[in-house]
Amino acid sequence: MTLLVRAGLLVTGSQEIENGWVLSRDGFIAEVGSGPPPPADEVVNEPNCLAMPGLVNAHDHMYQWATRGYVPDGTLFEWLRALYPVWARMDAETVRVAARAAMARLLLCGCTLSTDHHYVFPNGRPGIFEALADVARELGLRFQPCRGSMSLGESKGGLPPDSVVEDEDAILAHTEEMIGRFHDPKPGAMCRVVVAPCSPFSVTPELMRDSAALARKHGVRLHTHLAETLDEERFCIEKFGRRPVELMEDLGWTGDDVWYAHGIHLNDAEVDRIAELKTGIAHCPSSNMRLGAGACRVEDLLRAGARVGLGVDGSASNEDSNIAREAHQALLLARVRATSPTALDARGAWRMATRGGAECLGRDDCGSLEIGKCADIACFRVDDLAHAGIDDRVAALALAPPSRAQTVIVNGRVVVRDGRLLTGDEDQIARDIAATSARLAG
Ligand SMILES: [Zn+2]
């Protein structure tokens, strides 16, 4: 099965080709070029579009689509304390409906590869992880779900109430079971599992250590939240006598198989250390601004050679799942932080949204349009009112982020055409999430 995608401008990650094309065969890119294209079983012709590698979402909590809009003006800890009791009522069906909304929105906005950091299994409630994997398959999204966890309840000095945490042995056993059922290590995999205790203030150091050992035994990746807020930094210093990055080093949570969400409150030595150890950072600018958490030192991390991707973070602290908008926000926030318009340019922002995210997720088969890579492609219109007449189309899409993609291809298969989802009914998904959100609110 071959698919040919033609575009007014093809951005591969290393080249920008006028009237370029990509030929995919059985889900992988077989040829890239310009001029007369080869024949194909199916042809997508988008002369008014810029085609680029499918966008990569390096941090998310999809279940939060069912709890958007809560605590609109709170800090992370205030927001979490208000939401934990609501999340305690979630079951597999709630997560299924929320993930369908989150993934539909991601695909409609040009995202083709996403992680999901799911850490709420209230007292071990069943079927939740399976629901996430099911929905990704149903909608056709390339997926890297994290089996997250929380074990440090309030009674043991943690932030979350005891009603949302789990027993540590049960967490490790279930994580191993999910790796066995869903993890595919092969190039072009549509599902890979990640091990991901939630944060220093919601799990014990023992669970962090045991989780790292389990992940390395199975060759899967590690993910957690780190250095998101100054409240977290104070918690780590008071409870463990360590700054968050020092704590991670002690626990074996560094290296090229680890990526952190946020990485905002880093000192100079920590920036260099993260780059040196090839540990990734998923930068989530909208969520960080929504919660007033601070601004990630993106330009310093990139200058030091660190791997930096972009994430939407959970939609309860963003209210949207549009990676193109995160590229826009990252560009602006980096310039505000540095008080300099050269802190991050459009091409740098798109690199984080594609190759940078793929590096965080350990996907050397994704993030660019080159022969042998996964055929994951996003096409955005550049002739619409928001973009028409702007000469630099790559900059246009970063400065005025598109509200949806025109065509999206995952694994050589068209999943969005003319801005409409082909693998689900967008209006029904919206009705379902409204009903589920109302029921959860009680
Ligand atoms: Zn998060």
Side-chain angles (χ1 to χ4, degrees), residues 59-61 64 117 119 223 225 228 261-262 284 287 313-314 317:
H59 185 63
D60 202 344
H61 313 287
Q64 290 182 8
H117 187 182
Y119 54 83
H223 180 52
H225 292 97
E228 179 175 3
H262 307 300
C284 307
S287 169
D313 204 355
S317 64

